[in-house]
Amino acid sequence: MFYKKVDKQSNKEMFNFLHNHFEYDTLNSWNRLHSIANNVKLYNLPVDYSDALEALKEDDYCSINACIEEFNENHPGYKVGFNGRSGGYLVLYSNKHNGHALDSYSPCQYNTYDDWKTDVKEAYGSLKAYESTLKADVELVQDFDTLCDELVEVLKELIKEMHHRRQHTVEWHAVKRHEHYVYDTITDLHYHKEYMLQQGATIFDENDEDLYVEYEVNKDYEGTVVIEINDK
């Protein structure tokens, strides 16, 4: 989902990979500092939204955090952490370069390949002299993208384990419950609101200025539902 192959024999392809990679704030949006990142909001991932919320609540992010800590240990000087109002972005950063994971000559900092090439030649004498740094940056970012893919798989496994924990027979009745969300952007609000309405929710309260929506979720069941789960 996140990992992309890159031809490391091509400086231009490596430039384009880093230059076009998604970035997000390293601390707060007002400080204008940013770094390599991925959008890992649950409704952007190939999982059932409600199941994912429940599985993460049960696991308390222990499995997710263990994978992140392992990445941090294997990449000294770098750290991965969640950011955003709802913690929906995973960001790669370091204590150097004002928090950005890569240095000031990284393609992330340039608008065009020609501008980047000119500055690198001036600073290093040739592109060849900077090639090893460029390759190392590409591999670091690929490792980060691989981590994000691994976290998606961990989440899928948590959902699977949640579904296979015990066997229950449940009597269902008409249920009404409320869910509220605070979003990072108005685009996120509209995207997720459309999803919730498609699932049968109704708007209970909404404030576009505060990027806040409260939904009323109605679920009507009749009779007995048996969830068959195999104990490990």
Side-chain angles (χ1 to χ4, degrees):
M1 180 175 180
F2 294 104
Y3 175 84
K4 293 180 177 62
K5 291 183 178 180
V6 181
D7 180 4
K8 298 184 182 69
Q9 302 305 312
S10 168
N11 288 329
K12 190 163 189 177
E13 186 166 335
M14 289 191 286
F15 171 90
N16 287 333
F17 170 70
L18 295 175
H19 173 72
N20 294 322
H21 199 286
F22 179 76
E23 294 190 295
Y24 193 71
D25 307 317
T26 55
L27 293 172
N28 300 294
S29 58
W30 54 262
N31 63 22
R32 305 182 75 178
L33 301 178
H34 50 87
S35 187
I36 295 294
N38 278 316
N39 184 333
V40 292
K41 295 182 181 182
L42 294 182
Y43 48 80
N44 289 330
L45 303 180
V47 295
D48 181 88
Y49 186 82
S50 298
D51 281 352
L53 278 178
E54 187 175 348
L56 286 173
K57 184 177 180 180
E58 287 189 11
D59 187 69
D60 199 25
Y61 279 83
C62 290
S63 301
I64 298 292
N65 289 334
C67 291
I68 292 175
E69 286 303 316
E70 182 178 0
F71 178 93
N72 293 342
E73 290 174 5
N74 292 334
H75 297 81
Y78 299 94
K79 187 175 180 180
V80 169
F82 288 101
N83 206 342
R85 183 182 292 189
S86 58
Y89 299 92
L90 204 60
V91 185
L92 172 67
Y93 58 94
S94 72
N95 294 325
K96 302 177 182 178
H97 322 305
N98 286 324
H100 201 289
L102 311 180
D103 67 30
S104 58
Y105 290 101
S106 162
C108 299
Q109 318 289 3
Y110 285 84
N111 292 324
T112 69
Y113 177 72
D114 288 338
D115 288 344
W116 170 79
K117 186 167 61 174
T118 298
D119 280 5
V120 168
K121 284 182 177 178
E122 275 188 19
Y124 288 84
S126 67
L127 284 182
K128 188 72 175 175
Y130 189 73
E131 220 170 63
S132 61
T133 299
L134 184 62
K135 287 181 180 179
D137 286 349
V138 168
E139 289 170 358
L140 170 66
V141 175
Q142 284 182 312
D143 285 351
F144 170 71
D145 289 342
T146 297
L147 168 66
C148 293
D149 284 332
E150 290 174 351
L151 295 183
V152 174
E153 294 306 311
V154 168
L155 182 55
K156 288 180 180 179
E157 189 60 31
L158 289 175
I159 293 171
K160 182 179 177 182
E161 289 176 358
M162 180 185 71
H163 286 164
H164 291 77
R165 196 158 287 121
R166 323 184 162 82
Q167 180 169 323
H168 293 287
T169 300
V170 183
E171 291 285 346
W172 292 95
H173 307 282
V175 175
K176 286 187 177 181
R177 60 188 172 85
H178 285 201
E179 296 179 3
H180 67 271
Y181 300 91
V182 178
Y183 302 91
D184 291 293
T185 67
I186 193 68
T187 300
D188 288 340
L189 185 154
H190 289 157
Y191 182 91
H192 186 232
K193 182 166 70 172
E194 181 179 349
Y195 168 84
M196 292 295 288
L197 294 177
Q198 288 174 354
Q199 300 304 306
T202 56
I203 305 299
F204 183 80
D205 187 24
E206 181 175 8
N207 188 318
D208 284 354
E209 184 176 344
D210 293 336
L211 301 179
Y212 170 91
V213 181
E214 182 175 353
Y215 303 94
E216 184 173 85
V217 182
N218 303 302
K219 290 192 175 181
D220 299 318
Y221 299 92
E222 294 181 359
T224 301
V225 178
V226 178
I227 306 173
E228 294 185 358
I229 300 172
N230 299 319
D231 290 327
K232 290 188 176 182

